Amino acid sequence: MKFLNDNLEACIIIPLMFLMSIIIFVQVIMRYVFHSSLTWSEELARYLFVWLVYFSMAYTAKKEAHIRIDAAINLYPKKLRPYIEILSEVIVFAFAVFIAITSVGVFQKISASGQLSPALQLPMQFVYAAPLIGFGLTAIRQVQCILRRIKALHDHKEVSET
């Protein structure tokens, strides 16, 4: 379980990026060397990229590396900054939960429609599952981050009291 918690996103991101790069490379070779192109490669690379983006978002949440404006946080007094950071993490968590819940409805509609992708004839619900899974995982990672920050704040208070 610890391995999954530590490496889930990386175990998915790395093969997605590798596969996407190989598919694009093969497509370029096919087009410029053999003067022919694959009908499915661009569509598959696009869908792999979509999944890559959503898993990368969860990865950056886990690593606490998502974009934020440090200058804005530095405007607050030092004692208040940890609370502002926790508040910002809570806002990101709320946004992730909102998008994940919204994605459920979109996923259900696409699943019910039976829509297929043009070139691969892949059920589109697999593509539309990306935001649902990505934001769901991001919400989980945000909870972990919030708990870490609260624990660090609590530990810091205990150290300063002794």
Side-chain angles (χ1 to χ4, degrees):
M1 201 63 171
K2 181 173 175 13
F3 176 81
L4 268 180
N5 186 45
D6 292 344
N7 302 302
L8 175 66
E9 293 89 349
C11 288
I12 295 170
I13 289 170
I14 292 168
L16 284 174
M17 191 172 291
F18 177 76
L19 189 58
M20 187 178 74
S21 299
I22 293 297
I23 290 169
I24 292 169
F25 177 74
V26 168
Q27 174 65 355
V28 168
I29 297 298
M30 291 295 295
R31 189 174 289 161
Y32 291 105
V33 175
F34 296 107
H35 303 290
S36 176
S37 65
L38 304 170
T39 58
W40 51 269
S41 63
E42 290 177 35
E43 184 175 290
L44 181 57
R46 183 180 323 121
Y47 296 153
L48 292 173
F49 182 70
V50 167
W51 277 93
L52 177 69
V53 166
Y54 285 108
F55 274 101
S56 297
M57 182 179 58
Y59 182 74
T60 58
K62 181 183 96 172
K63 295 290 187 183
E64 297 180 26
H66 46 269
I67 297 173
R68 65 180 192 188
I69 303 172
D70 289 333
I73 290 173
N74 292 336
L75 291 174
Y76 293 96
K78 266 192 170 181
K79 288 187 177 188
L80 199 56
R81 289 179 195 166
Y83 299 101
I84 298 299
E85 289 177 349
I86 290 170
L87 176 64
S88 71
E89 300 293 352
V90 168
I91 292 169
V92 172
F93 167 74
F95 179 74
V97 168
F98 172 75
I99 298 297
I101 290 170
T102 305
S103 297
V104 170
V106 173
F107 177 77
Q108 289 172 338
K109 287 179 185 174
I110 293 297
S111 295
S113 76
Q115 182 180 358
L116 300 174
S117 68
L120 293 170
Q121 295 298 299
L122 180 73
M124 289 302 290
Q125 64 217 40
F126 293 117
V127 178
Y128 281 87
L132 172 61
I133 293 170
F135 275 103
L137 189 54
T138 300
I140 292 167
R141 294 304 188 182
Q142 283 302 120
V143 168
Q144 291 173 333
C145 177
I146 291 165
L147 293 175
R148 270 194 312 271
R149 287 188 183 272
I150 290 171
K151 184 181 183 307
L153 186 64
H154 180 68
D155 291 346
H156 180 71
K157 279 185 179 180
E158 285 181 356
V159 168
S160 62
E161 288 174 359
T162 57

